């Protein structure tokens, strides 16, 4: 199946994105990024061809990052801390992120980041007319795009 020919119409842009954390929409994010990879190793053996005999199933890893206005980063911390046992610690609280790309003349795309925790925080302020932002690094267990996985999910455990 090929991608359709498009003439005119709207392409996905920042205005097409809806971000929800544990089902609640967040509007103060200015950047969101995520990545996943599956490191596979080729297995070689004897023979004149020196071509690989096969490859391993690989090791899957994923991560993410969000930039947010200072108040939105604080709102996220408060929401996560409220779910913790002591009401103060937010670093161990797991949460899900759903990113939806929606345009009327495009096929909707839903990206789900599962079992996330905040892994790092970066903030730097300087004299400027710009509003203040923070960057939050995310530890992400796995990612699905429209229900599809990069890793082998043939046993249906994820």
């Amino acid at each position: 199946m090929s991608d359709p020919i498009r003439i005119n119409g709207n392409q996905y842009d920042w205005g097409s994105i809806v971000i929800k954390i544990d089902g609640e929409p967040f509007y103060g994010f200015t950047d969101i990024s995520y990545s996943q990879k599956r490191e596979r190793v080729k297995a070689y053996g004897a023979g004149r061809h020196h071509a690989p005999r096969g490859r391993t199933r690989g090791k899957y890893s994923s991560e993410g990052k969000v930039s947010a206005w200072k108040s939105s980063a604080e709102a996220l911390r408060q929401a996560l801390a409220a779910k913790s046992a002591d009401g103060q610690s937010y670093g161990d609280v797991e949460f899900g992120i759903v990113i939806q790309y929606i345009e009327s003349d495009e096929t909707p795309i839903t990206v789900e980041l599962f079992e996330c925790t905040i892994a790092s925080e970066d903030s730097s302020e300087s004299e400027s007319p710009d509003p203040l932002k923070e960057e939050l690094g995310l530890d992400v267990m796995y990612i699905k795009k429209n229900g599809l996985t990069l890793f082998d999910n043939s046993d249906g455990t994820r």
Side-chain angles (χ1 to χ4, degrees), residues 100-125:
Q100 292 180 299
Y101 303 84
I102 303 168
E103 267 311 325
S104 60
D105 48 351
E106 291 282 359
T107 303
I109 298 172
T110 300
V111 179
E112 298 170 280
L113 283 60
F114 289 89
E115 300 173 28
C116 302
T117 59
I118 293 181
S120 66
E121 297 178 314
D122 291 311
S123 182
S124 177
E125 287 72 46

Side-chain angles (χ1 to χ4, degrees), residues 31 35 40 48-49 57 62 65 67 116 125 143 150 154:
D31 182 274
S35 66
R40 301 176 89 169
R48 300 184 132 222
H49 52 76
R57 290 189 178 275
S62 56
K65 179 173 53 174
S67 293
C116 302
E125 287 72 46
I143 297 172
L150 176 63
S154 57

